[in-house]
């Protein structure tokens, strides 16, 4: 059987067959690697994303015999593996956010007032958002980014992190509250009009 023969099969079927035909696991990589890569890149930066992506799929391949066949979609499982790998690099993640804050925005070209104003506004908000994300508890940051940045449903986040749906909801609520508190007093008009 070739990977092309599995196009209409759900992930559980492909993973089950990959136990006897290991090359079929490439289908899972092809289906989900760009989502996992994007998630990791957002969390740790592009320099680390390729390595974490590779480790995620190596671990998934090694643990494919333990994949729950009742789950038709492997993406939450893969996000869970990636999140565990990310948690090992939390210090790097927070350092990256702090570095972006310390370095500040890149210089703007003269003569492009609208683009400069847009950039300043986005960078000011981005710096505040980076600061708010860095200040979150790691577990809250995981839930917030899986929901907001990756578009996972509460149940998928629960599966990815191996926690109850109620815990997902409470962590998300706390994370949103903390981010809102950080960004709530942020007045774009005041911040940008005072610099000119």
């Amino acid at each position: 059987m070739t990977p092309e023969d599995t196009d209409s099969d759900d992930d559980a079927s492909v993973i089950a067959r990959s136990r006897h035909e290991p090359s079929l696991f490439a289908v899972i990589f092809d289906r989900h690697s760009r989502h996992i890569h994007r998630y990791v890149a957002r969390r740790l930066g592009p320099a680390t994303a390729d390595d974490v992506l590779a480790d995620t799929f190596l671990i998934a391949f090694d643990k494919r015999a333990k994949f729950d066949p009742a789950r038709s979609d492997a993406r939450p499982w893969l996000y869970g593996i990636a999140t565990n790998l990310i948690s090992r690099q939390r210090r790097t993640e927070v350092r990256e956010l702090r570095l972006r804050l310390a370095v500040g925005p890149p210089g703007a070209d003269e003569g492009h007032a609208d683009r400069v104003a847009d950039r300043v506004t986005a960078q000011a908000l981005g710096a505040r958002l980076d600061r708010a994300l860095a200040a979150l508890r790691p577990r809250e940051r995981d839930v917030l980014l899986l929901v907001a940045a990756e578009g996972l449903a509460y149940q998928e986040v629960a599966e990815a992190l191996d926690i109850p749906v109620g815990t997902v909801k409470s962590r998300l609520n706390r994370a949103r509250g903390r981010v809102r508190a950080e960004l709530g007093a942020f007045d774009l008009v005041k911040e940008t009009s005072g610099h000119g």
Side-chain angles (χ1 to χ4, degrees):
M1 182 169 288
T2 67
E4 292 79 26
D5 295 334
T6 61
D7 286 345
S8 63
D9 294 342
D10 68 14
D11 291 345
S13 299
V14 173
I15 290 171
R17 282 188 278 162
S18 77
R19 293 179 193 147
H20 303 291
E21 295 178 65
S23 64
L24 290 179
F25 199 78
V27 171
I28 301 301
F29 181 86
D30 292 342
R31 286 180 183 174
H32 302 296
S33 62
R34 68 183 168 88
H35 299 288
I36 303 301
H37 187 274
R38 182 186 64 217
Y39 170 64
V40 174
R42 285 179 179 160
R43 300 293 306 274
L44 299 175
T48 309
D50 290 342
D51 291 338
V52 174
L53 176 71
D55 290 344
T56 297
F57 279 90
L58 284 173
I59 291 169
F61 181 80
D62 288 343
K63 294 185 175 190
R64 69 191 188 280
K66 295 179 182 178
F67 182 76
D68 181 357
R71 295 181 178 179
S72 61
D73 184 2
R75 205 163 49 127
W77 177 60
L78 294 168
Y79 276 123
I81 294 169
T83 300
N84 287 336
L85 291 171
I86 289 168
S87 70
R88 294 180 190 168
Q89 299 191 30
R90 288 228 191 267
R91 289 184 190 127
T92 303
E93 177 185 39
V94 171
R95 264 183 277 160
E96 175 68 25
L97 292 171
R98 288 183 180 151
L99 178 63
R100 284 191 282 184
L101 290 171
V103 170
D109 295 340
E110 293 297 321
H112 301 284
D114 289 339
R115 281 194 309 195
V116 171
D118 289 347
R119 233 188 235 171
V120 168
T121 301
Q123 288 164 349
L125 183 57
R128 298 285 297 254
L129 182 58
D130 285 348
R131 192 175 302 115
L133 289 173
L136 288 175
R137 291 184 180 118
R139 292 177 178 189
E140 292 170 359
R141 187 170 43 244
D142 290 341
V143 170
L144 178 65
L145 291 174
L146 285 170
V147 171
E150 298 305 315
L152 266 63
Y154 294 162
Q155 181 61 43
E156 291 173 319
V157 175
E159 290 172 16
L161 301 179
D162 197 25
I163 57 177
V165 172
T167 302
V168 170
K169 290 177 182 179
S170 65
R171 287 181 186 173
L172 182 61
N173 188 45
R174 282 192 302 271
R176 285 178 174 160
R178 289 188 173 134
V179 169
R180 276 191 203 111
E182 178 68 31
L183 300 178
F186 187 66
D187 183 346
L188 290 176
V189 176
K190 253 187 220 177
E191 292 280 333
T192 59
S193 65
H195 303 289

